[in-house]
Amino acid sequence: MNYWLMKTESETFSWQDLVRDGKACWDGVRNYQARNNIQQMKKGDLVFIYHSVSDKEIVGIAKVSREAYPDPTIDDERWKAVDVVPFQALDNPVTLAKIKKTEGLENIYLLKQSRLSVMPLKPEEFDIILALAQNS
DNA sequence: GCCAACGTTGGC
DNA sequence: GCCAACGTTGGC
C-alpha cells in the first residue's frame, strides 16, 4: 500500500465534486515528475486530496480505483491518468499552516516542492496528517 | 548543450 | 495582485 497526495483547485475540481460524482478521472497532468508518480499508483492506494490556492487544506481521502492509463484528454501517449473514488472525508480539514507547524511533516513535497501536483507520502507522514484530521 | 525568455503555479 | 519558483521552449 502506497500513500499519495494530489492537488486540485477547488474552483476547478473539488473534493465535493468527487463525492457528488462518485468517481473521477484524474487527468490533465502535464508534468513528468507528477506523471511518474501517477504511473506508480496501485489500485487501493490512498490519496489525500488537497485544495490549493484558495483553501490550502487537505479535505479528504480518495482511493485509486484504476491504475495508470493514457490520458483521454490528449492524443499523446506520454501522459497518463488514474481513476479515483472518494474514500473518506476528513472530520477536520488539515490546513497548510497546520502542516507547516507539525513535527514530522517538514520534509513533505507539499512544502519542499510546492508546485508538484502529484506526490508520494511516507506512511508515517500519512498517519500524522490523518491524526491531525481526527484530533484538531 | 546552454541559457534567456516566457508561461504557469501557488503562497502570501 | 504580486512575485518567487519552476518547467518548457527555442535561438544560438
Side-chain angles (χ1 to χ4, degrees), chain A residues 11-27:
Chain A
E11 290 82 358
T12 308
F13 185 83
S14 68
W15 164 256
Q16 288 76 18
D17 292 332
L18 175 60
V19 171
R20 182 197 61 211
D21 297 345
K23 178 190 150 185
C25 169
W26 210 270
D27 57 27

Side-chain angles (χ1 to χ4, degrees), chain A residues 2-126:
Chain A
N2 292 303
Y3 300 97
W4 310 92
L5 185 149
M6 295 200 295
K7 297 196 294 197
T8 179
E9 290 192 44
S10 59
E11 290 82 358
T12 308
F13 185 83
S14 68
W15 164 256
Q16 288 76 18
D17 292 332
L18 175 60
V19 171
R20 182 197 61 211
D21 297 345
K23 178 190 150 185
C25 169
W26 210 270
D27 57 27
V29 172
R30 301 288 183 270
N31 169 283
Y32 288 108
Q33 200 177 346
R35 189 279 313 272
N36 292 344
N37 290 331
I38 280 181
Q39 280 181 318
Q40 288 176 26
M41 289 182 171
K42 295 296 177 195
K43 193 171 177 176
D45 284 356
L46 296 181
V47 187
F48 278 128
I49 303 298
Y50 174 78
H51 284 171
S52 63
V53 182
S54 50
D55 307 326
K56 283 174 287 189
E57 59 188 18
I58 299 170
V59 290
I61 307 173
K63 188 194 285 193
V64 176
S65 61
R66 182 181 173 190
E67 295 176 13
Y69 59 98
D71 187 332
T73 64
I74 189 171
D75 184 20
D76 185 332
E77 281 295 311
R78 289 178 301 169
W79 304 117
K80 307 290 179 181
V82 289
D83 286 355
V84 294
V85 295
F87 175 68
Q88 186 184 307
L90 299 187
D91 294 337
N92 303 288
V94 179
T95 64
L96 181 63
K98 190 69 171 269
I99 289 168
K100 283 184 171 176
K101 284 188 290 186
T102 301
E103 205 174 331
L105 297 180
E106 47 282 295
N107 289 319
I108 68 172
Y109 282 99
L110 193 65
L111 302 182
K112 291 283 173 183
Q113 202 176 330
S114 66
R115 293 186 56 187
L116 184 62
S117 61
V118 180
M119 63 194 78
L121 285 179
K122 298 191 184 102
E124 50 270 33
E125 293 166 344
F126 184 92

